[in-house]
Amino acid sequence: MFRTALRNVLAHKARLLMTVLAVMLGVAFVSGTLVFTDTVGDAYKNKMSRSFDHTSVSVRSNAAMPEDGASEPEAVLTDGLLTKIRKLPGTESATGVVSGFTALADKQGKLVGEDWGTTGANYVPGPDGKDARYSFSTGRAPRSSGEIALDSATASRTGYRVGDTVRLSTNGPVMKPRITGVFHTDDGQVMAGGSLVLFDNATARTALDKTSEYDEITVAAAPGTSEAALKSAVEKILPKDAEAVTGRTLAAEQEEMIAEQTASMSSTLLYFAAIALFVGIFIIANTFTMLVSQRTRELALMRAVGASRRQVTRSVLVEALLVGVVAAVSGFLLGIGVAVGLRSLISTTGASLPDGPLVIAPATGLVSLIVGVVVTMLAAWLPGRRAAKVPPVAAMNSVHATPTTRSLVVRNIIGSVITALGGALVFLGASMGEDGNPVMAGGAGALLIGVIVLTPLLSRPVIAAAAPLLDRLGVPGRLARQNALRNPRRTASTAAALMIGLTLITAMTVLATSTQSALDRMAADSLKADYTVGMANYQPLAPEVGEKLAELDGVAATSPVRKAYGEADGSFSAFNGVDPKSVDRLLGPDFTSGSFAGLADKGAVIDRETADDLHLGMGDPLPVKFDDGKKDRLKVVGIYHPNDMVRGIYVATSVVTPHLEKPGDEQVLVKMEKGASEAAQTAIVNELGKNPGIQIMDKEDISNKVGEMINLMLKMLYGLLAMAVLIAVLGVVNTLAMSVFERKHEIGMLRAIGLDRAKVKQMVRLESVVISLFGALLGIGLGVFLAWAAGRSISEQVKTYAMEIPFDRIGIFLAAAAVVGVLAAVWPARRAARLNALEAIKAE
């Protein structure tokens, strides 16, 4: 039986090619993911371990971070402590490290990097005049307040060179230092697309507001002193809110963090690899079903001469094993190229990954082999088992028998039950709100499986609906329709492969479009201000910023949003201080009762959720206690529905300011007399000294900022599902090619009675388009339904959410499915047209 299986594989090399390709692509996705994550993880580990080459012990503060408005805790990592550590026996050197937000402007005046990823730090030269943490490629380190050094990645990205003057700010006015050097760094934020600016030590401490203490003290051990011994010595002189950890511990912490990050990325990629392999199962099952049906007489003869059912099934599984091994090995090798490609692709997005050798772990090869073989054999088991059940005599007399409608009854009943169960769970989950997400996810999975099982039944009415259009195309159209319906199982499994990918793509597209529109409506409804002004790192603005903007020509109204923390009726709360005189012109929450009118008289406007939690209504007293220990008594003057733009408790700035040790504004709301415009935004930028650290956003910017992650996820989804769609295309090609071979006799007869080559090609193309559009229609319909169900959960959180179907994109998906059908039919159609009519008529 093994020799027979080997002979069959060698005899059907061309017909098995698509199966090999499908499994190979799925395995390549798996192995590529594993190689990529292993490579990136190893490179990060190597980079991070180098970062601690000169750190034997790190001293860091354990003091609790103060709430906004609370008193700053007593300094822990002081100059005095640094001096004591330097004098310890076994200490070769000790360095006080400071870092913080440093907004660097590019040559167009825009912020370099992204939000908090733009940092500044101190350069602390040792006895040799160098800081071991940084190596300069050009120029030298900064030595005075008018000098900085820039990391090489940022210098390359911005075009800055040694000698250039740049604009930057930390927590004060704009500075214009000169670049004295460009250096290399292993800093993770820089490698992720951020920027790093180095100041001399004195300037850094002043500019970054770290004059009283350091963020960290790094200690290098003298020769002959172990990390453990030095750590023990350091601990004896540390204050209670400080701790010492060894460089080895720091490296272990970094490795654990990197492992967690790469594990998350790996899980996401492997999830899509599983989808690709699941789609591949349909192709494998189709291929072996057709191969087995074409060899029915051969298998029957084997049964007649003594082969058992188990042996027949085993011979099919041996074929699958051989195919799986070839596909797995090929996929593993292709996966290495996928890993290299992923690395290059991520680099093109602006993110930078550390350099390092390609890591190909033995486990990756083993996993690839197991996945490829198991998936192939699993998909081939059912066709093999079905072939073994056919009685020898029946098989010899019914070589070309096609499955009847009656044979699908059991399948349709099972599919109907699973579909009904899945649909019920989806509806149940949708009615449960956010708590029903797990139920909805389970229902969606069951629904997808049920529809896949029911696809042969669904193919008849859907394809029949296209009959008028196909029949207008003459004989090729009618034949294409009949061929698509001839074997509903085969048509269904081919269409199902395409359906899976389009279901996920459609659902995510509808959700993303609807959510973005909801955010746009939310910004338009809740925010009357034309602009919000805040720090790019989300730290408080100096009150002077709001005062400057209030005096700017063309400004109709402004209000700071000044935040303090405390307890409202015993519950921890944040209090947003706003200007009672202008807030109603800048914010437009959806009030259920009351308004901002009573805010000036110690009034409080609270969101509906807070009101329900605290059992408060209009006019009720609201006792509060701020973090500084002082108490106050407010009165509820308004209740509104919260959203992502406006939520929490709003009070007058006069209520929160006395409880803040250092007043600062989260943001300033600005309304212009003539509305938002490029000229208005330029006026605000100029008024604030073209400070790159200050972020000015209009309503569209705010909406896009909130929806940025949604769009990024959608792009990733399109890219990752492209593999599954490609495999589905191979499935269409495979089905058509096998179908052409199976119908060789029939095509020969059609050619003999006058059907020319062009019409034969047209027949195969139309059959391909019909199957592709059938799969696309099922996928789009199912995707829209799942998006509706998921949207019910979103609408609980986003009141402005309403499902919007992007018909333009849906149209693109349908057009793409038709193109897929045409392209997939090119080779099978050409092969069918080139058949010799006389030889085909003689074929059995």
Side-chain angles (χ1 to χ4, degrees), residues 56 88-93 219-227 230:
S56 304
L88 285 174
T91 297
E92 182 176 55
S93 65
V219 190
T225 302
S226 67
E227 287 187 352
L230 182 58

Side-chain angles (χ1 to χ4, degrees), residues 188-255:
Q189 288 187 164
V190 174
M191 289 188 286
S195 62
L196 179 60
V197 172
L198 291 183
F199 303 93
D200 68 281
N201 189 42
T203 302
R205 298 192 68 183
T206 302
L208 301 175
D209 198 19
K210 302 290 177 68
T211 53
S212 59
E213 74 170 326
Y214 297 100
D215 295 316
E216 178 190 18
I217 296 176
T218 60
V219 190
T225 302
S226 67
E227 287 187 352
L230 182 58
K231 175 177 177 286
S232 178
V234 169
E235 285 178 331
K236 293 176 182 178
I237 63 169
L238 291 183
K240 64 176 183 178
D241 288 331
E243 68 168 344
V245 292
T246 63
R248 211 173 270 111
T249 302
L250 289 174
E253 288 176 356
Q254 291 278 15
E255 285 187 15

